[in-house]
Amino acid sequence: MMQVKTINFNIKGDDRGSLIALEQHKEIPFDIKRVYYIFGTKEGVRRGYHAHKSLKQVAVCVKGSCKFLLDDGKSKEYVELNSPDLGLLIDKFVWREMYDFSPDCVLVVFADDYYDEGDYIRDYKEFIRRVENDS
Ligand code: T46
């Protein structure tokens, strides 16, 4: 079974409301080189359908909710992100699909490297071949 790695962030709450701070090598366990966010996702849309050769990321649903299918080539796990204090660590060589986005979903992703299309494996059969050859 693959281990889904989630991170619970500390909420600095007071009578004014809540605040979460994320720092590299603290809450986010790597150098943060890039941050991007996915929002305004249309109903019924499924995104992702790829793995990364080396990129490591932490995804946080700061508003609304969405679900992840994670597949390491041997088993699949399903995770719902529905709280700004919950991070999902997505390692390299994990196939991911995101779905069931709520209309208000804002999914923020912290990445340990710059955008590089060459780091993507977008073909599932190739992904399985790479996993089998590396194990
Ligand atoms: C991932 C999941 C969780 C850029 O130009 N720069 C960027 O940093 C990113 C992330 C994307 N793009 C461009 C590439 C495409 O033309 O934005 C467009 C949409 O990207 P993509 O189809 O890869 O989006 P998703 O939602 O399928 O996947 C994204 C990330 O790309 C991916 O690394 O792990 O979110």
Side-chain angles (χ1 to χ4, degrees):
M1 281 280 273
M2 81 176 287
Q3 277 293 103
V4 172
K5 293 174 197 139
T6 53
I7 309 169
N8 287 99
F9 305 128
N10 197 11
I11 303 175
K12 295 162 200 306
D14 57 31
D15 55 10
R16 296 169 299 170
S18 305
L19 184 154
I20 292 175
L22 305 179
E23 297 185 6
Q24 63 180 8
H25 295 294
K26 291 184 181 167
E27 293 80 9
I28 305 295
F30 47 71
D31 276 341
I32 301 168
K33 289 213 179 131
R34 178 165 53 107
V35 179
Y36 61 90
Y37 29 100
I38 294 170
F39 57 98
T41 308
K42 306 269 187 312
E43 201 185 336
V45 162
R46 207 169 167 101
R47 307 184 61 120
Y49 294 99
H50 62 261
H52 282 282
K53 295 172 193 165
S54 72
L55 192 72
K56 214 185 274 181
Q57 305 186 98
V58 171
V60 186
C61 203
V62 295
K63 190 167 172 62
S65 63
C66 69
K67 293 176 184 156
F68 273 76
L69 155 68
L70 301 172
D71 175 353
D72 66 359
K74 298 184 179 79
S75 63
K76 295 182 168 81
E77 288 292 330
Y78 300 85
V79 185
E80 179 168 7
L81 294 185
N82 53 17
S83 175
D85 66 349
L86 179 65
L88 174 66
L89 183 62
I90 313 168
D91 224 327
K92 62 182 178 177
F93 280 102
V94 173
W95 185 267
R96 81 284 320 260
E97 293 170 22
M98 300 90 81
Y99 60 102
D100 276 2
F101 287 84
S102 63
D104 60 346
C105 178
V106 181
L107 180 67
V108 177
V109 184
F110 300 87
D112 75 347
D113 213 344
Y114 303 114
Y115 177 69
D116 173 14
E117 184 56 39
D119 190 62
Y120 285 70
I121 306 170
R122 294 192 183 270
D123 179 75
Y124 188 74
K125 284 188 186 145
E126 187 198 337
F127 165 66
I128 294 295
R129 254 193 321 272
R130 299 281 297 252
V131 170
E132 285 171 357
N133 289 343
D134 288 355
S135 57

